[in-house]
Structure formats: C-alpha cells, structure tokens
Amino acid sequence: MVDDHNDEDGASPVLRVSCGAEYVPRRISDFLKREAKQDLETAVRHHTKQLGYAARRVTVRDTTSRWGSCSASGSLNFSWRLVMSPPFVLDYLAAHEVAHLVHMNHSEKFWELTRELAPQTDRAETWLKAHGTGLHRFGAEPNVVAPSLRTKVR
Ligand SMILES: [Zn+2]
C-alpha cells in the first residue's frame, strides 16, 4: 500500500511504501501518476471554469517529448512527471493546454490568454527550460526513482 503521511513534526511529507522491495519502484510510480492526474484535473477544472469551456477528458501519460498536448476533440494529455515540478509550473502547463481549447496554435492571442490564466507563464517556461530535462530522467526505467523521493522512502 502506498500512502503519504507527514513526519511526526509535520515538517516534510513522507511516502510510506509497504510491499516487497521488488515492487517498490512500481508502487511509487503508480502513486505519482495518480497524484499527477488528480493535481492536473484540479488545475484544468480551475482554468476551464474561468473560460466557460470544458475539457473532454484529462489523461496522464508517460511522454518524454512534450509536457502536454490538446487534441482537436478537446482531450488534454499531460506528462505524469509534472507531479515532480513546483505547483506553479504544473498550474501553468494546465493553463497552457486549456488555452489551446480556445486557440489551437501558439499565436499572440493564445499567449495572451495563457498569461491571463497563468500570470506565472514566463517564470514557469524559464523553470522548464532549466529543469525540464532533469524530470525526464526519473521513472524512465522501472528501477529509477527520483533521488529526492528515494531518501523519503521508509
Ligand atoms: Zn502549446
């Protein structure tokens, strides 16, 4: 079973995993993917509400070439690795794909709308340029877990 609890002092979150050692990486990545979906669905709901548009569905995938995409039918796809990015980055990516529900391009109008939904757009783009590739290292192979998470597995 995978669950997150706080330390006794409540300072930092701890991920407790109880299963055979060989299943730990799989349990952790399943957990992170579920968390990613939840966080992204919440962020997408928040942004679509502002626009009066609805996403057809939100899916989380193991993509490495892009952080998110929006299909013509209104389905939004995201990389589960966004769960390891700071919340303002995840929120920006949700806003970016939601803005594609209105503008299916990267026109000036698209960026205007994205910035309206996510004022942190430039900061988030800068963060992704600097740290984005690092996120792709994690979970690429079944036994690879983010080092920052590994230290917190007990
Ligand atoms: Zn885009």
Side-chain angles (χ1 to χ4, degrees), residues 68-69 96-97 100 105-106 110-111:
S69 63
H96 181 121
E97 298 311 329
H100 277 314
N105 50 47
H106 290 118
F110 163 83
W111 285 112

